[in-house]
Amino acid sequence: MTTLTIAGRDFPDKLNLGSGLDFREDFLNLDFEPEWGPDIVADLNRPFPPADGQPFPTARFGPIVLQPGTFQLILAHDLLEHLANLTTAMTSCLNLLAEGGEM
């Protein structure tokens, strides 16, 4: 697993959006529903990460701060059609994606 170290925390450089039942060990998993047990619970209809720069608590990696250009790969399988504010979600993804990264 390729990892990043930001603010002293190691975590994957790949993001799995809308992880649901597709939890991936080698990704940072994000979902709107806490019942799926994602690493981060967030609503992608709002700017992500929030501008306040607060760390996200995660059980696997401890608190992490997400910064622009963090991820080499972002997956969004069966997610985008469920978002009411697609422009906000895609802008957030573009900001989180590293230069040369893939979505």
Side-chain angles (χ1 to χ4, degrees):
M1 166 172 52
T2 304
T3 61
L4 298 167
T5 302
I6 296 177
R9 298 289 180 188
D10 292 336
F11 59 94
D13 68 349
K14 298 181 282 188
L15 180 63
N16 182 20
L17 301 177
S19 58
L21 291 173
D22 187 28
F23 187 93
R24 296 175 182 230
E25 287 292 328
D26 57 337
F27 281 70
L28 184 69
N29 295 275
L30 181 146
D31 202 283
F32 177 74
E33 295 292 340
E35 69 187 68
W36 299 117
D39 297 308
I40 294 176
V41 175
D43 181 358
L44 292 175
N45 289 299
R46 299 171 191 239
F48 180 81
D52 63 9
Q54 292 296 310
F56 289 95
T58 71
R60 292 195 305 153
F61 308 108
I64 59 173
V65 176
L66 299 178
Q67 300 174 1
T70 297
F71 297 101
Q72 293 296 321
L73 176 63
I74 298 177
L75 292 182
H77 185 70
D78 291 333
L79 167 75
L80 301 178
E81 69 272 19
H82 299 286
L83 296 171
N85 195 341
L86 186 58
T87 301
T88 296
M90 294 305 293
T91 299
S92 295
C93 290
L94 181 60
N95 288 337
L96 287 170
L97 197 61
E99 186 173 331
E102 294 182 46
M103 180 163 176

